[in-house]
Amino acid sequence: IIHIVVAIGLIITLVYMDYRKFQKFSMPIYVVAVFLLLLMLFMPNLRVNGEAMLKIGPLRIQAWTVLPILLVAFAGFLAEHKWKGWHLTGLFVVPLLLIMMIPNPAVALFYIVVVAILFSFSYCTRKQKRYVGFVSGGIALATIAYSVYAYYYLLAWYQKERIAAFLQPELHMDSSGFLIVRLKSALANA
């Protein structure tokens, strides 16, 4: 019951807090978040389902735990007018690479989307936003092109079969798709 009271108190404090006061601490907050990601990557003391975590006493720190700290820092960066585009790009890419190396694609996707939303409401000019949009779109297209290339030329036959079974499990009932179809029917009957 103590945990619930502390959590409710923390939530009330965070709701009524003026976040603009954190703006001057954006860089130290960012450094702490990146340091935690580096610790999770290189010195994890706990792994759950392949995901690296830090366990300090009863506290478990994982990528989802570090994400709000990182986003508060990024909100501060985007509210300040002193950062150039390439500075912001570097500050964005470093944690993204660390999150992808942990690996946790869900956290990476959430991080990308929230930073994109923060960027769209930032002080940057329309021209800068359009430029970032084109560059991001180009990177996304290059990633898709590489994925198609990897599918046809780099993956082994069993990896291709797993992907095909995931996309169309009914066509692969006799091999990799069997379990997916069984799970679908079990969830439909539950």
Side-chain angles (χ1 to χ4, degrees):
I1 202 121
I2 293 173
H3 293 92
I4 294 171
V5 172
V6 170
I8 290 172
L10 184 63
I11 289 170
I12 291 171
T13 303
L14 291 175
V15 166
Y16 292 109
M17 185 179 296
D18 186 11
Y19 290 103
R20 290 175 290 190
K21 293 179 182 177
F22 285 126
Q23 187 172 347
K24 60 184 169 187
F25 300 113
S26 296
M27 188 52 82
I29 291 171
Y30 177 83
V31 169
V32 166
V34 169
F35 180 71
L36 287 172
L37 288 172
L38 284 169
L39 281 177
M40 275 189 282
L41 183 62
F42 294 113
M43 293 188 299
N45 56 7
L46 180 66
R47 287 200 180 267
V48 177
N49 294 330
E51 185 180 350
M53 295 182 190
L54 289 173
K55 185 170 171 134
I56 303 169
L59 184 67
R60 279 189 187 179
I61 300 173
Q62 55 184 338
W64 283 107
T65 312
V66 177
L67 189 62
I69 301 168
L70 201 54
L71 293 175
V72 166
F74 234 92
F77 292 149
L78 291 172
E80 295 174 355
H81 294 278
K82 68 179 184 178
W83 298 100
K84 293 188 178 355
W86 66 274
H87 290 139
L88 292 173
T89 303
L91 291 171
F92 170 73
V93 168
V94 169
L96 180 63
L97 292 175
L98 293 174
I99 291 170
M100 292 302 287
M101 290 170 66
I102 283 178
N104 197 330
V107 173
L109 182 63
F110 191 77
Y111 173 65
I112 291 168
V113 168
V114 173
V115 170
I117 291 169
L118 288 172
F119 179 74
S120 69
F121 289 105
S122 71
Y123 66 89
C124 297
T125 64
R126 179 175 276 181
K127 182 180 176 183
Q128 289 172 321
K129 291 177 184 178
R130 199 174 310 133
Y131 175 74
V132 168
F134 284 134
V135 170
S136 301
I139 291 170
L141 286 175
T143 303
I144 291 169
Y146 178 75
S147 298
V148 170
Y149 170 77
Y151 180 78
Y152 286 108
Y153 298 109
L154 300 178
L155 295 180
W157 65 269
Y158 65 91
Q159 293 169 320
K160 291 179 185 178
E161 183 179 337
R162 287 182 186 168
I163 292 171
F166 176 75
L167 295 174
Q168 296 176 326
E170 290 81 13
L171 297 178
H172 300 274
M173 285 278 297
D174 57 338
S175 60
S176 301
F178 177 75
L179 188 58
I180 297 171
V181 172
R182 294 288 293 177
L183 284 172
K184 278 184 178 180
S185 66
L187 290 174
N189 293 333

